[in-house]
Amino acid sequence: MTRESRAVEQDRAAGGRHTRAVDVGEGKYARASVALRLYRSTRRIRAYLRWSQEGETRERYLGEVDAATRAANLAQAWSLARAAGYVTIETVPPGSWASSPASHAVMAANKGRDTKPERLLRSALHRKGLRYRVSERPIADLRRTADVVFTKARVAVFVDGCYWHGCPEHHRPATKRAEFWQEKIEGNRARDVDTNAALQAQGWAVVRVWEHEDPELAAQRIEQIVRERADGA
C-alpha cells in the first residue's frame, strides 16, 4: 500500500482528514493515524494511535477491536480515540481562506511543489535521458517559478492542478463562497496567461501539463520540444 493510499484509508475511517488532529499546543496540530496489531497467540487485535511530535513518534494504546474487516476495525479504533479525547477536529486558523476545517485540510494538503504528478513527470523525463532543473525561475528577475526548467533549450514546464487552474475537463466550481473561489481561479488563469507571454517574449518555450495527463505522453511532447530547440541552438 502506498503512502497516499494509506492516508486515504485513514481519512475514510476517521471521517475526514481534519478529524485526525492531535492538539500539540500553541494552536498546532499533528496528523495522527491508527495502527492495528494482531497478536497471534490470542488472535486479538489491538489498536494504537500514532503521531509525530518534535521529531519523535508518539503512541497511545486505544484498546482492542473486533470487527470483521480492516476498514471497520480502523473506524472502531478512531471512535475509541475520539471517546478518549486523544484526537480533536482541527480548527480553521484565523484569516484562512477556507470556509470549514474540511476545506482547510484539503488546502493544507495541496503541496506547492513535488506533487505526485510532478514527480511522475520528472521520472518519465529522466528515463528519456533528459536533465533539468526543478522549481526554478526561468528568468531570474521574473517572479515566476516553473516546475521543470531546461535551461539550455530554454523550455519551461508547468504542471497545473485541475482545480486551482480551472481545468476544462475536471474543474468543478465550489458550492460555498462560490464567487470568492471563482475569482481566485480566474486570477490564476490570468496569471498563467501573463506568465506564458512574459517567458515567450524572452525566447522561452512554455509547456503546460494538466495534473490528469498521462506523464509518459506529456514527457514525449516535452522531449520533442526540448530536443528540437537544443538542436537548433
Side-chain angles (χ1 to χ4, degrees), residues 201-231:
Q202 295 292 324
W204 284 76
V206 178
V207 182
R208 290 196 173 269
V209 179
W210 289 110
E211 66 174 333
H212 69 261
E213 288 189 57
D214 184 316
E216 293 296 335
L217 295 179
Q220 289 177 17
R221 177 158 54 100
I222 295 167
E223 179 187 26
Q224 181 178 355
I225 296 172
V226 169
R227 298 202 185 280
E228 286 177 353
R229 290 176 66 88
D231 292 341

Side-chain angles (χ1 to χ4, degrees), residues 4-156:
E4 289 83 0
S5 60
R6 285 197 299 269
V8 170
E9 179 187 54
Q10 294 285 339
D11 290 347
R12 186 178 296 117
R17 182 178 175 83
H18 62 292
T19 65
R20 294 168 49 199
V22 174
D23 190 340
V24 296
E26 299 181 354
K28 298 179 180 179
Y29 299 90
R31 195 77 57 201
S33 61
V34 165
L36 301 177
R37 296 174 186 164
L38 172 64
Y39 289 81
R40 299 187 182 282
S41 59
T42 61
R43 303 301 299 174
R44 291 181 176 177
I45 302 173
R46 294 181 179 178
Y48 297 81
L49 188 72
R50 305 186 71 193
W51 70 96
S52 179
Q53 185 175 344
E54 298 178 347
E56 297 182 359
T57 299
R58 307 292 179 88
E59 186 174 276
R60 283 185 181 273
Y61 174 61
L62 298 174
E64 294 185 355
V65 291
D66 57 2
T69 65
R70 173 178 170 81
N73 278 324
L74 285 173
Q76 193 177 113
W78 279 108
S79 294
L80 292 172
R82 285 191 292 271
Y86 295 153
V87 293
T88 185
I89 296 177
E90 184 175 355
T91 58
V92 177
S96 172
W97 291 342
S99 58
S100 69
S103 60
H104 175 258
V106 172
M107 291 172 64
N110 185 61
K111 300 166 65 176
R113 59 171 289 180
D114 291 332
T115 62
K116 184 177 180 180
E118 288 176 31
R119 287 185 278 111
L120 290 174
L121 178 61
R122 294 203 304 255
S123 294
L125 291 169
H126 195 275
R127 286 193 297 272
K128 292 180 178 298
L130 298 176
R131 299 299 177 261
Y132 45 79
R133 296 181 181 273
V134 177
S135 296
E136 185 172 283
R137 292 184 187 180
I139 302 173
D141 59 356
L142 179 65
R143 297 184 60 184
R144 305 293 165 87
T145 301
D147 298 308
V148 178
V149 177
F150 297 89
T151 307
K152 183 179 178 180
R154 296 170 70 83
V155 176

Side-chain angles (χ1 to χ4, degrees), residues 161-173:
C162 289
Y163 180 79
W164 294 105
H165 294 262
C167 168
E169 293 184 42
H170 301 105
H171 176 72
R172 296 294 181 272

